[in-house]
Amino acid sequence: MGVAVRIALLSTIVSGLACASASRGADGERSVAATPKRVAVSVTYRERIMVPSGSELDVQIVDVTKGDSAATTVAEKKTKIDGGPPYHVSLEIPPELYIDSSRYHARAEIMRPDSTTMFVTRHGVPVLTMGAGDSVEVVVGMGQ
């Protein structure tokens, strides 16, 4: 085998190892996605009422992997809403915040113009992981 072939082979092996180590954390799990993860969320409620004009919808994608601690928000979008549901929101999880082995849920809250909660998610809806896709419907219930 010639020197040029050996150098090319060695270069290929080294760059392959570098890519593998850059995309995996210390525990061997994938640590960074290559591109942002896009999530489409549709928010609805069952009550037959309209939200007041100037209300705000807050949709979050949260990492719920650590069940015994607070969830970490990885994407959030706040939008003024008017009229009835469904409300459609598109979010992006930055590549540095998405981990393949983590579990993610979508949550939503609708706040009146005075910032009090009108509707809120009772239970997060799985998204992107645990067999869930990148498009979910979140049904919110009356707030406290």
Side-chain angles (χ1 to χ4, degrees), residues 85-125:
Y87 308 107
H88 302 284
V89 176
S90 180
L91 298 101
E92 281 191 2
I93 302 173
E96 64 273 12
L97 297 180
Y98 182 80
I99 300 172
D100 284 338
S101 60
S102 291
R103 292 178 299 133
Y104 298 96
H105 282 183
R107 295 181 179 171
E109 180 178 13
I110 297 175
M111 292 159 287
R112 295 177 185 90
D114 66 1
S115 298
T116 58
T117 299
M118 186 170 184
F119 294 100
V120 68
T121 305
R122 298 279 184 238
H123 305 285
V125 179

PDB file of all heavy atoms in Angstrom, residues 85-125:
ATOM      1  N   PRO A  85     -60.729  28.893  18.718  1.00  0.00           N
ATOM      2  CA  PRO A  85     -59.731  27.893  18.334  1.00  0.00           C
ATOM      3  C   PRO A  85     -60.158  27.151  17.071  1.00  0.00           C
ATOM      4  O   PRO A  85     -61.309  27.260  16.668  1.00  0.00           O
ATOM      5  CB  PRO A  85     -59.711  26.960  19.545  1.00  0.00           C
ATOM      6  CG  PRO A  85     -61.056  27.083  20.159  1.00  0.00           C
ATOM      7  CD  PRO A  85     -61.508  28.494  19.866  1.00  0.00           C
ATOM      8  N   PRO A  86     -59.263  26.380  16.496  1.00  0.00           N
ATOM      9  CA  PRO A  86     -57.907  26.055  16.963  1.00  0.00           C
ATOM     10  C   PRO A  86     -56.915  27.169  16.644  1.00  0.00           C
ATOM     11  O   PRO A  86     -57.095  27.936  15.700  1.00  0.00           O
ATOM     12  CB  PRO A  86     -57.562  24.782  16.204  1.00  0.00           C
ATOM     13  CG  PRO A  86     -58.328  24.891  14.926  1.00  0.00           C
ATOM     14  CD  PRO A  86     -59.606  25.619  15.289  1.00  0.00           C
ATOM     15  N   TYR A  87     -55.873  27.236  17.474  1.00  0.00           N
ATOM     16  CA  TYR A  87     -54.774  28.170  17.284  1.00  0.00           C
ATOM     17  C   TYR A  87     -53.561  27.349  16.868  1.00  0.00           C
ATOM     18  O   TYR A  87     -53.214  26.378  17.526  1.00  0.00           O
ATOM     19  CB  TYR A  87     -54.469  28.941  18.571  1.00  0.00           C
ATOM     20  CG  TYR A  87     -55.708  29.586  19.170  1.00  0.00           C
ATOM     21  CD1 TYR A  87     -56.279  29.070  20.327  1.00  0.00           C
ATOM     22  CD2 TYR A  87     -56.303  30.695  18.570  1.00  0.00           C
ATOM     23  CE1 TYR A  87     -57.408  29.651  20.888  1.00  0.00           C
ATOM     24  CE2 TYR A  87     -57.440  31.278  19.126  1.00  0.00           C
ATOM     25  CZ  TYR A  87     -57.985  30.751  20.286  1.00  0.00           C
ATOM     26  OH  TYR A  87     -59.109  31.323  20.822  1.00  0.00           O
ATOM     27  N   HIS A  88     -52.930  27.731  15.776  1.00  0.00           N
ATOM     28  CA  HIS A  88     -51.803  26.967  15.234  1.00  0.00           C
ATOM     29  C   HIS A  88     -50.496  27.708  15.470  1.00  0.00           C
ATOM     30  O   HIS A  88     -50.393  28.901  15.171  1.00  0.00           O
ATOM     31  CB  HIS A  88     -52.001  26.705  13.743  1.00  0.00           C
ATOM     32  CG  HIS A  88     -53.274  25.965  13.453  1.00  0.00           C
ATOM     33  ND1 HIS A  88     -53.420  24.621  13.684  1.00  0.00           N
ATOM     34  CD2 HIS A  88     -54.472  26.403  12.989  1.00  0.00           C
ATOM     35  CE1 HIS A  88     -54.644  24.247  13.356  1.00  0.00           C
ATOM     36  NE2 HIS A  88     -55.304  25.314  12.933  1.00  0.00           N
ATOM     37  N   VAL A  89     -49.520  26.987  16.013  1.00  0.00           N
ATOM     38  CA  VAL A  89     -48.213  27.566  16.315  1.00  0.00           C
ATOM     39  C   VAL A  89     -47.137  26.612  15.822  1.00  0.00           C
ATOM     40  O   VAL A  89     -47.252  25.392  15.972  1.00  0.00           O
ATOM     41  CB  VAL A  89     -48.050  27.785  17.842  1.00  0.00           C
ATOM     42  CG1 VAL A  89     -46.666  28.296  18.178  1.00  0.00           C
ATOM     43  CG2 VAL A  89     -49.110  28.740  18.355  1.00  0.00           C
ATOM     44  N   SER A  90     -46.093  27.176  15.239  1.00  0.00           N
ATOM     45  CA  SER A  90     -44.943  26.388  14.808  1.00  0.00           C
ATOM     46  C   SER A  90     -43.742  26.807  15.645  1.00  0.00           C
ATOM     47  O   SER A  90     -43.489  28.000  15.808  1.00  0.00           O
ATOM     48  CB  SER A  90     -44.672  26.628  13.334  1.00  0.00           C
ATOM     49  OG  SER A  90     -43.569  25.874  12.909  1.00  0.00           O
ATOM     50  N   LEU A  91     -43.030  25.829  16.206  1.00  0.00           N
ATOM     51  CA  LEU A  91     -41.860  26.107  17.031  1.00  0.00           C
ATOM     52  C   LEU A  91     -40.655  25.365  16.488  1.00  0.00           C
ATOM     53  O   LEU A  91     -40.803  24.342  15.827  1.00  0.00           O
ATOM     54  CB  LEU A  91     -42.095  25.652  18.478  1.00  0.00           C
ATOM     55  CG  LEU A  91     -43.221  26.332  19.238  1.00  0.00           C
ATOM     56  CD1 LEU A  91     -44.432  25.439  19.267  1.00  0.00           C
ATOM     57  CD2 LEU A  91     -42.774  26.613  20.646  1.00  0.00           C
ATOM     58  N   GLU A  92     -39.474  25.870  16.819  1.00  0.00           N
ATOM     59  CA  GLU A  92     -38.226  25.196  16.459  1.00  0.00           C
ATOM     60  C   GLU A  92     -37.400  24.979  17.712  1.00  0.00           C
ATOM     61  O   GLU A  92     -37.210  25.898  18.503  1.00  0.00           O
ATOM     62  CB  GLU A  92     -37.407  26.038  15.472  1.00  0.00           C
ATOM     63  CG  GLU A  92     -37.881  25.950  14.064  1.00  0.00           C
ATOM     64  CD  GLU A  92     -36.893  26.572  13.077  1.00  0.00           C
ATOM     65  OE1 GLU A  92     -35.819  27.045  13.491  1.00  0.00           O
ATOM     66  OE2 GLU A  92     -37.210  26.559  11.888  1.00  0.00           O
ATOM     67  N   ILE A  93     -36.915  23.747  17.876  1.00  0.00           N
ATOM     68  CA  ILE A  93     -35.986  23.447  18.959  1.00  0.00           C
ATOM     69  C   ILE A  93     -34.583  23.595  18.384  1.00  0.00           C
ATOM     70  O   ILE A  93     -34.222  22.892  17.435  1.00  0.00           O
ATOM     71  CB  ILE A  93     -36.181  22.025  19.503  1.00  0.00           C
ATOM     72  CG1 ILE A  93     -37.616  21.843  20.010  1.00  0.00           C
ATOM     73  CG2 ILE A  93     -35.167  21.729  20.602  1.00  0.00           C
ATOM     74  CD1 ILE A  93     -37.945  20.421  20.422  1.00  0.00           C
ATOM     75  N   PRO A  94     -33.782  24.505  18.930  1.00  0.00           N
ATOM     76  CA  PRO A  94     -32.418  24.674  18.423  1.00  0.00           C
ATOM     77  C   PRO A  94     -31.628  23.369  18.531  1.00  0.00           C
ATOM     78  O   PRO A  94     -31.825  22.596  19.478  1.00  0.00           O
ATOM     79  CB  PRO A  94     -31.813  25.750  19.331  1.00  0.00           C
ATOM     80  CG  PRO A  94     -32.986  26.444  19.947  1.00  0.00           C
ATOM     81  CD  PRO A  94     -34.073  25.417  20.037  1.00  0.00           C
ATOM     82  N   PRO A  95     -30.749  23.099  17.574  1.00  0.00           N
ATOM     83  CA  PRO A  95     -29.999  21.841  17.572  1.00  0.00           C
ATOM     84  C   PRO A  95     -29.259  21.578  18.875  1.00  0.00           C
ATOM     85  O   PRO A  95     -29.200  20.441  19.340  1.00  0.00           O
ATOM     86  CB  PRO A  95     -29.006  22.000  16.419  1.00  0.00           C
ATOM     87  CG  PRO A  95     -29.546  23.073  15.573  1.00  0.00           C
ATOM     88  CD  PRO A  95     -30.386  23.949  16.452  1.00  0.00           C
ATOM     89  N   GLU A  96     -28.724  22.620  19.494  1.00  0.00           N
ATOM     90  CA  GLU A  96     -27.945  22.409  20.722  1.00  0.00           C
ATOM     91  C   GLU A  96     -28.811  22.050  21.928  1.00  0.00           C
ATOM     92  O   GLU A  96     -28.300  21.600  22.949  1.00  0.00           O
ATOM     93  CB  GLU A  96     -27.091  23.650  21.038  1.00  0.00           C
ATOM     94  CG  GLU A  96     -27.876  24.903  21.348  1.00  0.00           C
ATOM     95  CD  GLU A  96     -28.269  25.729  20.129  1.00  0.00           C
ATOM     96  OE1 GLU A  96     -28.134  25.257  18.985  1.00  0.00           O
ATOM     97  OE2 GLU A  96     -28.735  26.861  20.336  1.00  0.00           O
ATOM     98  N   LEU A  97     -30.144  22.186  21.824  1.00  0.00           N
ATOM     99  CA  LEU A  97     -31.032  21.842  22.931  1.00  0.00           C
ATOM    100  C   LEU A  97     -31.758  20.516  22.744  1.00  0.00           C
ATOM    101  O   LEU A  97     -32.421  20.036  23.654  1.00  0.00           O
ATOM    102  CB  LEU A  97     -32.060  22.955  23.152  1.00  0.00           C
ATOM    103  CG  LEU A  97     -31.512  24.306  23.566  1.00  0.00           C
ATOM    104  CD1 LEU A  97     -32.652  25.308  23.738  1.00  0.00           C
ATOM    105  CD2 LEU A  97     -30.699  24.196  24.845  1.00  0.00           C
ATOM    106  N   TYR A  98     -31.667  19.929  21.536  1.00  0.00           N
ATOM    107  CA  TYR A  98     -32.377  18.682  21.257  1.00  0.00           C
ATOM    108  C   TYR A  98     -31.457  17.486  21.445  1.00  0.00           C
ATOM    109  O   TYR A  98     -30.370  17.417  20.881  1.00  0.00           O
ATOM    110  CB  TYR A  98     -32.936  18.667  19.830  1.00  0.00           C
ATOM    111  CG  TYR A  98     -33.702  17.412  19.537  1.00  0.00           C
ATOM    112  CD1 TYR A  98     -35.008  17.275  19.969  1.00  0.00           C
ATOM    113  CD2 TYR A  98     -33.111  16.341  18.877  1.00  0.00           C
ATOM    114  CE1 TYR A  98     -35.717  16.107  19.730  1.00  0.00           C
ATOM    115  CE2 TYR A  98     -33.815  15.171  18.634  1.00  0.00           C
ATOM    116  CZ  TYR A  98     -35.111  15.067  19.066  1.00  0.00           C
ATOM    117  OH  TYR A  98     -35.806  13.913  18.844  1.00  0.00           O
ATOM    118  N   ILE A  99     -31.913  16.527  22.258  1.00  0.00           N
ATOM    119  CA  ILE A  99     -31.178  15.289  22.500  1.00  0.00           C
ATOM    120  C   ILE A  99     -32.109  14.129  22.147  1.00  0.00           C
ATOM    121  O   ILE A  99     -33.227  14.037  22.678  1.00  0.00           O
ATOM    122  CB  ILE A  99     -30.722  15.180  23.974  1.00  0.00           C
ATOM    123  CG1 ILE A  99     -29.817  16.364  24.318  1.00  0.00           C
ATOM    124  CG2 ILE A  99     -30.012  13.853  24.223  1.00  0.00           C
ATOM    125  CD1 ILE A  99     -29.480  16.463  25.790  1.00  0.00           C
ATOM    126  N   ASP A 100     -31.662  13.262  21.255  1.00  0.00           N
ATOM    127  CA  ASP A 100     -32.502  12.148  20.784  1.00  0.00           C
ATOM    128  C   ASP A 100     -33.081  11.312  21.913  1.00  0.00           C
ATOM    129  O   ASP A 100     -34.215  10.856  21.834  1.00  0.00           O
ATOM    130  CB  ASP A 100     -31.694  11.226  19.870  1.00  0.00           C
ATOM    131  CG  ASP A 100     -31.498  11.805  18.479  1.00  0.00           C
ATOM    132  OD1 ASP A 100     -32.275  12.679  18.060  1.00  0.00           O
ATOM    133  OD2 ASP A 100     -30.554  11.359  17.815  1.00  0.00           O
ATOM    134  N   SER A 101     -32.318  11.072  22.952  1.00  0.00           N
ATOM    135  CA  SER A 101     -32.756  10.168  24.017  1.00  0.00           C
ATOM    136  C   SER A 101     -33.654  10.838  25.055  1.00  0.00           C
ATOM    137  O   SER A 101     -34.150  10.177  25.963  1.00  0.00           O
ATOM    138  CB  SER A 101     -31.533   9.561  24.710  1.00  0.00           C
ATOM    139  OG  SER A 101     -30.746  10.586  25.277  1.00  0.00           O
ATOM    140  N   SER A 102     -33.877  12.145  24.932  1.00  0.00           N
ATOM    141  CA  SER A 102     -34.744  12.849  25.888  1.00  0.00           C
ATOM    142  C   SER A 102     -36.211  12.681  25.523  1.00  0.00           C
ATOM    143  O   SER A 102     -36.539  12.257  24.423  1.00  0.00           O
ATOM    144  CB  SER A 102     -34.391  14.331  25.932  1.00  0.00           C
ATOM    145  OG  SER A 102     -33.136  14.531  26.526  1.00  0.00           O
ATOM    146  N   ARG A 103     -37.089  13.033  26.458  1.00  0.00           N
ATOM    147  CA  ARG A 103     -38.538  12.995  26.238  1.00  0.00           C
ATOM    148  C   ARG A 103     -39.055  14.428  26.244  1.00  0.00           C
ATOM    149  O   ARG A 103     -38.726  15.202  27.141  1.00  0.00           O
ATOM    150  CB  ARG A 103     -39.233  12.171  27.321  1.00  0.00           C
ATOM    151  CG  ARG A 103     -38.881  10.687  27.237  1.00  0.00           C
ATOM    152  CD  ARG A 103     -39.544   9.883  28.345  1.00  0.00           C
ATOM    153  NE  ARG A 103     -39.092  10.360  29.645  1.00  0.00           N
ATOM    154  CZ  ARG A 103     -39.901  10.614  30.669  1.00  0.00           C
ATOM    155  NH1 ARG A 103     -41.187  10.432  30.575  1.00  0.00           N
ATOM    156  NH2 ARG A 103     -39.412  11.041  31.816  1.00  0.00           N
ATOM    157  N   TYR A 104     -39.889  14.763  25.246  1.00  0.00           N
ATOM    158  CA  TYR A 104     -40.392  16.123  25.103  1.00  0.00           C
ATOM    159  C   TYR A 104     -41.916  16.132  25.129  1.00  0.00           C
ATOM    160  O   TYR A 104     -42.564  15.218  24.619  1.00  0.00           O
ATOM    161  CB  TYR A 104     -39.901  16.745  23.789  1.00  0.00           C
ATOM    162  CG  TYR A 104     -38.398  16.845  23.751  1.00  0.00           C
ATOM    163  CD1 TYR A 104     -37.630  15.866  23.126  1.00  0.00           C
ATOM    164  CD2 TYR A 104     -37.747  17.900  24.370  1.00  0.00           C
ATOM    165  CE1 TYR A 104     -36.247  15.948  23.115  1.00  0.00           C
ATOM    166  CE2 TYR A 104     -36.357  17.984  24.365  1.00  0.00           C
ATOM    167  CZ  TYR A 104     -35.621  17.006  23.728  1.00  0.00           C
ATOM    168  OH  TYR A 104     -34.247  17.071  23.732  1.00  0.00           O
ATOM    169  N   HIS A 105     -42.466  17.189  25.745  1.00  0.00           N
ATOM    170  CA  HIS A 105     -43.909  17.397  25.785  1.00  0.00           C
ATOM    171  C   HIS A 105     -44.225  18.807  25.308  1.00  0.00           C
ATOM    172  O   HIS A 105     -43.421  19.728  25.498  1.00  0.00           O
ATOM    173  CB  HIS A 105     -44.448  17.259  27.212  1.00  0.00           C
ATOM    174  CG  HIS A 105     -44.586  15.848  27.661  1.00  0.00           C
ATOM    175  ND1 HIS A 105     -45.108  15.516  28.893  1.00  0.00           N
ATOM    176  CD2 HIS A 105     -44.280  14.662  27.069  1.00  0.00           C
ATOM    177  CE1 HIS A 105     -45.116  14.203  29.031  1.00  0.00           C
ATOM    178  NE2 HIS A 105     -44.610  13.667  27.942  1.00  0.00           N
ATOM    179  N   ALA A 106     -45.410  18.966  24.720  1.00  0.00           N
ATOM    180  CA  ALA A 106     -45.927  20.288  24.357  1.00  0.00           C
ATOM    181  C   ALA A 106     -46.888  20.720  25.455  1.00  0.00           C
ATOM    182  O   ALA A 106     -47.671  19.909  25.967  1.00  0.00           O
ATOM    183  CB  ALA A 106     -46.644  20.227  23.013  1.00  0.00           C
ATOM    184  N   ARG A 107     -46.808  21.988  25.831  1.00  0.00           N
ATOM    185  CA  ARG A 107     -47.702  22.585  26.831  1.00  0.00           C
ATOM    186  C   ARG A 107     -48.227  23.899  26.275  1.00  0.00           C
ATOM    187  O   ARG A 107     -47.564  24.537  25.470  1.00  0.00           O
ATOM    188  CB  ARG A 107     -46.951  22.885  28.132  1.00  0.00           C
ATOM    189  CG  ARG A 107     -46.442  21.679  28.858  1.00  0.00           C
ATOM    190  CD  ARG A 107     -45.747  22.116  30.129  1.00  0.00           C
ATOM    191  NE  ARG A 107     -45.243  20.982  30.881  1.00  0.00           N
ATOM    192  CZ  ARG A 107     -44.462  21.096  31.932  1.00  0.00           C
ATOM    193  NH1 ARG A 107     -44.086  22.287  32.363  1.00  0.00           N
ATOM    194  NH2 ARG A 107     -44.055  20.023  32.570  1.00  0.00           N
ATOM    195  N   ALA A 108     -49.393  24.311  26.769  1.00  0.00           N
ATOM    196  CA  ALA A 108     -49.958  25.584  26.307  1.00  0.00           C
ATOM    197  C   ALA A 108     -50.725  26.255  27.440  1.00  0.00           C
ATOM    198  O   ALA A 108     -51.242  25.596  28.347  1.00  0.00           O
ATOM    199  CB  ALA A 108     -50.874  25.355  25.111  1.00  0.00           C
ATOM    200  N   GLU A 109     -50.790  27.569  27.356  1.00  0.00           N
ATOM    201  CA  GLU A 109     -51.554  28.370  28.305  1.00  0.00           C
ATOM    202  C   GLU A 109     -52.135  29.554  27.549  1.00  0.00           C
ATOM    203  O   GLU A 109     -51.458  30.170  26.726  1.00  0.00           O
ATOM    204  CB  GLU A 109     -50.644  28.857  29.434  1.00  0.00           C
ATOM    205  CG  GLU A 109     -51.350  29.696  30.465  1.00  0.00           C
ATOM    206  CD  GLU A 109     -50.439  30.146  31.611  1.00  0.00           C
ATOM    207  OE1 GLU A 109     -49.200  30.009  31.485  1.00  0.00           O
ATOM    208  OE2 GLU A 109     -50.972  30.649  32.598  1.00  0.00           O
ATOM    209  N   ILE A 110     -53.401  29.858  27.820  1.00  0.00           N
ATOM    210  CA  ILE A 110     -54.045  31.046  27.267  1.00  0.00           C
ATOM    211  C   ILE A 110     -54.293  31.999  28.420  1.00  0.00           C
ATOM    212  O   ILE A 110     -54.933  31.631  29.415  1.00  0.00           O
ATOM    213  CB  ILE A 110     -55.365  30.699  26.544  1.00  0.00           C
ATOM    214  CG1 ILE A 110     -55.078  29.782  25.348  1.00  0.00           C
ATOM    215  CG2 ILE A 110     -56.089  31.974  26.105  1.00  0.00           C
ATOM    216  CD1 ILE A 110     -56.321  29.273  24.627  1.00  0.00           C
ATOM    217  N   MET A 111     -53.765  33.214  28.280  1.00  0.00           N
ATOM    218  CA  MET A 111     -53.896  34.221  29.326  1.00  0.00           C
ATOM    219  C   MET A 111     -54.782  35.365  28.848  1.00  0.00           C
ATOM    220  O   MET A 111     -54.693  35.787  27.693  1.00  0.00           O
ATOM    221  CB  MET A 111     -52.518  34.746  29.734  1.00  0.00           C
ATOM    222  CG  MET A 111     -51.700  33.671  30.444  1.00  0.00           C
ATOM    223  SD  MET A 111     -49.948  34.016  30.398  1.00  0.00           S
ATOM    224  CE  MET A 111     -49.583  33.659  28.690  1.00  0.00           C
ATOM    225  N   ARG A 112     -55.620  35.849  29.761  1.00  0.00           N
ATOM    226  CA  ARG A 112     -56.459  37.010  29.469  1.00  0.00           C
ATOM    227  C   ARG A 112     -55.560  38.243  29.292  1.00  0.00           C
ATOM    228  O   ARG A 112     -54.388  38.213  29.666  1.00  0.00           O
ATOM    229  CB  ARG A 112     -57.431  37.240  30.623  1.00  0.00           C
ATOM    230  CG  ARG A 112     -58.440  36.125  30.819  1.00  0.00           C
ATOM    231  CD  ARG A 112     -59.320  36.424  32.053  1.00  0.00           C
ATOM    232  NE  ARG A 112     -60.207  35.320  32.339  1.00  0.00           N
ATOM    233  CZ  ARG A 112     -59.911  34.296  33.150  1.00  0.00           C
ATOM    234  NH1 ARG A 112     -58.739  34.247  33.770  1.00  0.00           N
ATOM    235  NH2 ARG A 112     -60.768  33.330  33.342  1.00  0.00           N
ATOM    236  N   PRO A 113     -56.115  39.331  28.780  1.00  0.00           N
ATOM    237  CA  PRO A 113     -55.317  40.554  28.630  1.00  0.00           C
ATOM    238  C   PRO A 113     -54.687  41.052  29.940  1.00  0.00           C
ATOM    239  O   PRO A 113     -53.649  41.706  29.916  1.00  0.00           O
ATOM    240  CB  PRO A 113     -56.315  41.575  28.075  1.00  0.00           C
ATOM    241  CG  PRO A 113     -57.323  40.740  27.352  1.00  0.00           C
ATOM    242  CD  PRO A 113     -57.432  39.475  28.165  1.00  0.00           C
ATOM    243  N   ASP A 114     -55.288  40.709  31.092  1.00  0.00           N
ATOM    244  CA  ASP A 114     -54.712  41.129  32.384  1.00  0.00           C
ATOM    245  C   ASP A 114     -53.671  40.129  32.901  1.00  0.00           C
ATOM    246  O   ASP A 114     -53.257  40.190  34.057  1.00  0.00           O
ATOM    247  CB  ASP A 114     -55.809  41.353  33.430  1.00  0.00           C
ATOM    248  CG  ASP A 114     -56.552  40.068  33.803  1.00  0.00           C
ATOM    249  OD1 ASP A 114     -56.214  38.983  33.275  1.00  0.00           O
ATOM    250  OD2 ASP A 114     -57.475  40.144  34.636  1.00  0.00           O
ATOM    251  N   SER A 115     -53.266  39.173  32.045  1.00  0.00           N
ATOM    252  CA  SER A 115     -52.231  38.158  32.332  1.00  0.00           C
ATOM    253  C   SER A 115     -52.658  37.075  33.309  1.00  0.00           C
ATOM    254  O   SER A 115     -51.823  36.311  33.789  1.00  0.00           O
ATOM    255  CB  SER A 115     -50.929  38.816  32.825  1.00  0.00           C
ATOM    256  OG  SER A 115     -50.420  39.658  31.819  1.00  0.00           O
ATOM    257  N   THR A 116     -53.944  36.954  33.610  1.00  0.00           N
ATOM    258  CA  THR A 116     -54.411  35.838  34.426  1.00  0.00           C
ATOM    259  C   THR A 116     -54.683  34.651  33.501  1.00  0.00           C
ATOM    260  O   THR A 116     -55.037  34.824  32.332  1.00  0.00           O
ATOM    261  CB  THR A 116     -55.691  36.192  35.210  1.00  0.00           C
ATOM    262  OG1 THR A 116     -56.710  36.590  34.281  1.00  0.00           O
ATOM    263  CG2 THR A 116     -55.420  37.304  36.218  1.00  0.00           C
ATOM    264  N   THR A 117     -54.517  33.453  34.032  1.00  0.00           N
ATOM    265  CA  THR A 117     -54.699  32.239  33.236  1.00  0.00           C
ATOM    266  C   THR A 117     -56.172  31.980  32.976  1.00  0.00           C
ATOM    267  O   THR A 117     -56.975  31.943  33.903  1.00  0.00           O
ATOM    268  CB  THR A 117     -54.068  31.035  33.954  1.00  0.00           C
ATOM    269  OG1 THR A 117     -52.680  31.276  34.102  1.00  0.00           O
ATOM    270  CG2 THR A 117     -54.278  29.750  33.170  1.00  0.00           C
ATOM    271  N   MET A 118     -56.511  31.769  31.712  1.00  0.00           N
ATOM    272  CA  MET A 118     -57.868  31.415  31.322  1.00  0.00           C
ATOM    273  C   MET A 118     -57.958  29.912  31.043  1.00  0.00           C
ATOM    274  O   MET A 118     -58.867  29.242  31.506  1.00  0.00           O
ATOM    275  CB  MET A 118     -58.290  32.219  30.097  1.00  0.00           C
ATOM    276  CG  MET A 118     -59.726  32.025  29.702  1.00  0.00           C
ATOM    277  SD  MET A 118     -60.210  33.232  28.444  1.00  0.00           S
ATOM    278  CE  MET A 118     -61.936  32.838  28.287  1.00  0.00           C
ATOM    279  N   PHE A 119     -56.994  29.401  30.257  1.00  0.00           N
ATOM    280  CA  PHE A 119     -56.917  27.974  29.940  1.00  0.00           C
ATOM    281  C   PHE A 119     -55.472  27.526  30.102  1.00  0.00           C
ATOM    282  O   PHE A 119     -54.546  28.292  29.825  1.00  0.00           O
ATOM    283  CB  PHE A 119     -57.356  27.702  28.491  1.00  0.00           C
ATOM    284  CG  PHE A 119     -58.798  27.989  28.212  1.00  0.00           C
ATOM    285  CD1 PHE A 119     -59.168  29.171  27.591  1.00  0.00           C
ATOM    286  CD2 PHE A 119     -59.791  27.081  28.543  1.00  0.00           C
ATOM    287  CE1 PHE A 119     -60.493  29.450  27.307  1.00  0.00           C
ATOM    288  CE2 PHE A 119     -61.116  27.342  28.274  1.00  0.00           C
ATOM    289  CZ  PHE A 119     -61.476  28.540  27.649  1.00  0.00           C
ATOM    290  N   VAL A 120     -55.299  26.262  30.494  1.00  0.00           N
ATOM    291  CA  VAL A 120     -53.939  25.747  30.691  1.00  0.00           C
ATOM    292  C   VAL A 120     -53.918  24.243  30.434  1.00  0.00           C
ATOM    293  O   VAL A 120     -54.928  23.552  30.589  1.00  0.00           O
ATOM    294  CB  VAL A 120     -53.425  26.077  32.111  1.00  0.00           C
ATOM    295  CG1 VAL A 120     -54.198  25.315  33.186  1.00  0.00           C
ATOM    296  CG2 VAL A 120     -51.940  25.843  32.236  1.00  0.00           C
ATOM    297  N   THR A 121     -52.745  23.761  30.049  1.00  0.00           N
ATOM    298  CA  THR A 121     -52.546  22.328  29.838  1.00  0.00           C
ATOM    299  C   THR A 121     -52.609  21.602  31.169  1.00  0.00           C
ATOM    300  O   THR A 121     -51.947  21.996  32.130  1.00  0.00           O
ATOM    301  CB  THR A 121     -51.151  22.076  29.212  1.00  0.00           C
ATOM    302  OG1 THR A 121     -51.028  22.851  28.030  1.00  0.00           O
ATOM    303  CG2 THR A 121     -50.935  20.615  28.903  1.00  0.00           C
ATOM    304  N   ARG A 122     -53.390  20.547  31.233  1.00  0.00           N
ATOM    305  CA  ARG A 122     -53.441  19.721  32.444  1.00  0.00           C
ATOM    306  C   ARG A 122     -52.291  18.714  32.436  1.00  0.00           C
ATOM    307  O   ARG A 122     -51.676  18.460  33.450  1.00  0.00           O
ATOM    308  CB  ARG A 122     -54.771  18.970  32.522  1.00  0.00           C
ATOM    309  CG  ARG A 122     -55.965  19.859  32.605  1.00  0.00           C
ATOM    310  CD  ARG A 122     -56.180  20.336  34.036  1.00  0.00           C
ATOM    311  NE  ARG A 122     -57.406  21.119  34.097  1.00  0.00           N
ATOM    312  CZ  ARG A 122     -57.450  22.371  34.505  1.00  0.00           C
ATOM    313  NH1 ARG A 122     -56.351  22.978  34.897  1.00  0.00           N
ATOM    314  NH2 ARG A 122     -58.581  23.023  34.523  1.00  0.00           N
ATOM    315  N   HIS A 123     -52.036  18.139  31.272  1.00  0.00           N
ATOM    316  CA  HIS A 123     -50.974  17.146  31.105  1.00  0.00           C
ATOM    317  C   HIS A 123     -50.257  17.454  29.796  1.00  0.00           C
ATOM    318  O   HIS A 123     -50.906  17.712  28.784  1.00  0.00           O
ATOM    319  CB  HIS A 123     -51.537  15.721  31.056  1.00  0.00           C
ATOM    320  CG  HIS A 123     -52.374  15.371  32.235  1.00  0.00           C
ATOM    321  ND1 HIS A 123     -51.828  15.086  33.459  1.00  0.00           N
ATOM    322  CD2 HIS A 123     -53.721  15.278  32.391  1.00  0.00           C
ATOM    323  CE1 HIS A 123     -52.793  14.824  34.319  1.00  0.00           C
ATOM    324  NE2 HIS A 123     -53.960  14.941  33.698  1.00  0.00           N
ATOM    325  N   GLY A 124     -48.930  17.413  29.831  1.00  0.00           N
ATOM    326  CA  GLY A 124     -48.167  17.636  28.612  1.00  0.00           C
ATOM    327  C   GLY A 124     -48.472  16.573  27.571  1.00  0.00           C
ATOM    328  O   GLY A 124     -48.837  15.438  27.898  1.00  0.00           O
ATOM    329  N   VAL A 125     -48.350  16.930  26.317  1.00  0.00           N
ATOM    330  CA  VAL A 125     -48.606  16.011  25.210  1.00  0.00           C
ATOM    331  C   VAL A 125     -47.260  15.614  24.596  1.00  0.00           C
ATOM    332  O   VAL A 125     -46.507  16.479  24.167  1.00  0.00           O
ATOM    333  CB  VAL A 125     -49.502  16.681  24.146  1.00  0.00           C
ATOM    334  CG1 VAL A 125     -49.744  15.741  22.978  1.00  0.00           C
ATOM    335  CG2 VAL A 125     -50.808  17.134  24.763  1.00  0.00           C
TER     336      VAL A 125
END
